[in-house]
Amino acid sequence: MATTTIDPQTRIARAAVFVVFALNGFLLAMWVVHIPAITDRTGIAHSTLGMFILMLAGAGIVGMRIAGPLADRFGSRTMVGAAAAITAVSVLGPGLATGPVTLAIALACFGFGNGALDVSMNTQAVHVERAYQRPIMSAFHALFSGGGLLGSLLGAAAQSAGWDVRSTLSLAAVGGLLVLAALVPRLLGDTGSVADEPNPDPLSPDPPNIGTHAQSHIPPGHRQDRVAQDMGDGSETPTHTTASEPAASADRSRRVLTLAAIAFALLLTEGVAADWSALQVRDHLDVDDATAALAFGAFSGTMTAGRFATDRVAGAFGSVAVVRYGTLIAACGLVLIMTSGWLPLTLLGWAMCGLGLSGGIPQIFTAAGNLGSSTAATDMSRVFSLGYFGLLAGPSIIGWITAIVPLTIAMVVPLIAVLLCCRYAGVVGPQRK
């Protein structure tokens, strides 16, 4: 199949989405690195801060659920602009807060904007990926990590220079708005585009006739699997008679729920690694805090690197292989973590876990955004919100279990989660006839 030339507008849109993802990571990091200064300024206790962070996450889920239908109605380009503007402006709120009430309001606004931006920018990324006709979603998520790293470094530098938190966050807000003003016009317009196109969903139980136009919207890894199915008898695929609308809607809902469950399991494991990896190494191997911190470094380093490489792997072998073998690698890493008594092997286990998880979530979001309906953003918001809940619930579940068993034994929870993802990885790929 000949390679389709990518028009300049699409290339510009891809670069703009890269910057949007990086901007999201940057703004989130600016809040995180200033948490100590903000808690001192507002005089809140750590327990109160924990409650406020949970409230921020809850507001994020609300933003996700609202942004999905709005993106379907007005287009993801419009929603990216609105949500990113809310996020950029509201990042200043915690810096201006002078007490618990004002901080709570500021974090609710920031969480809402961040959640809405998550859904809208990933919906826009799906449209750009469809125009590119090959997997590029993982690179967007890698840029989010890169933006977070940049925000962390600049925030730390500002604090080292003695800058007031209000000044730093004001510059971050103004800079974010200026970048946003330059980016939004360069994003792709997508209102109604999913509904108007042939169903690009590789999970459809009854795929449409695969002509040249329909194939052009299927990533190569999916395309190879479908060609193998549809040409088994050497004949063209017969024209399909569309199933009843209620049955199609019910099938899409089941697939959305399955994708959401896998996202929940993957992000649960990621949340456990983020919050418990250092403690697991310290308690299990009896090392100092500085050495134990290497565990999260190994995890996050391989996850970032893996996301830069995942698109090529998905293009060559398909999204199912990325999820199935990635979660298998993560499972092997968790087994190594639970059984190893030697620091280098334990760090290798956390590195394998990060590498294995790196490509899964982008494939889930791509599949959710390509279900071939006019409610793509709404479908993504459902997957997002349940997955995000897993990111929050994972660390809490492990904390409860550690009241009964040692922390290392509690790692059986994420191990079971990734094994289930490995078992049901086929949901992100072509539906067998």
Side-chain angles (χ1 to χ4, degrees), residues 185-283:
R186 290 163 174 78
L187 299 176
L188 296 182
D190 54 75
T191 303
S193 62
V194 177
D196 295 336
E197 294 174 353
N199 184 357
D201 177 22
L203 306 179
S204 174
D206 296 296
N209 186 34
I210 306 299
T212 303
H213 180 68
Q215 287 184 6
S216 69
H217 294 285
I218 304 171
H222 294 162
R223 189 182 303 138
Q224 294 165 1
D225 293 339
R226 181 172 286 176
V227 170
Q229 296 172 37
D230 293 339
M231 298 185 66
D233 59 357
S235 62
E236 295 183 358
T237 305
T239 302
H240 169 66
T241 302
T242 305
S244 66
E245 185 175 339
S249 178
D251 177 72
R252 186 174 68 252
S253 296
R254 285 193 297 269
R255 284 181 278 140
V256 168
L257 182 61
T258 305
L259 289 169
I262 295 180
F264 175 91
L266 290 176
L267 288 175
L268 179 149
T269 307
E270 186 176 336
V272 168
D275 289 2
W276 292 101
S277 56
L279 286 173
Q280 185 274 329
V281 171
R282 190 190 68 179
D283 293 352

Side-chain angles (χ1 to χ4, degrees), residues 34 37 41 95-96 158-159 161-170:
H34 287 97
R41 177 180 172 81
L96 297 178
Q159 292 182 88
W163 288 22
D164 185 82
V165 61
R166 292 168 295 183
S167 300
T168 305
L169 294 181
S170 294

Side-chain angles (χ1 to χ4, degrees), residues 29-55:
M30 292 301 288
W31 143 248
V32 170
V33 299
H34 287 97
I35 287 178
I38 291 170
T39 54
D40 291 343
R41 177 180 172 81
T42 55
I44 64 172
H46 288 175
S47 58
T48 305
L49 176 64
M51 182 179 65
F52 282 1
I53 291 176
L54 186 62
M55 182 191 64

Side-chain angles (χ1 to χ4, degrees), residues 279-366:
L279 286 173
Q280 185 274 329
V281 171
R282 190 190 68 179
D283 293 352
H284 186 57
L285 301 180
D286 194 24
V287 297
D288 58 70
D289 290 344
T291 302
L294 295 174
F296 181 64
F299 173 84
S300 59
T302 54
M303 171 165 278
T304 301
R307 283 182 170 169
F308 278 113
T310 294
D311 290 329
R312 290 185 179 275
V313 176
F317 302 104
S319 58
V320 174
V322 171
V323 176
R324 176 162 291 146
Y325 295 109
T327 51
L328 187 59
I329 291 171
C332 292
L334 287 166
V335 170
L336 192 58
I337 290 164
M338 296 173 64
T339 58
S340 170
W342 187 37
L343 179 63
L345 280 181
T346 302
L347 295 179
L348 175 62
W350 283 114
M352 291 173 63
C353 190
L355 181 64
L357 294 177
S358 62
I361 286 298
Q363 309 310 310
I364 298 297
F365 292 158
T366 292

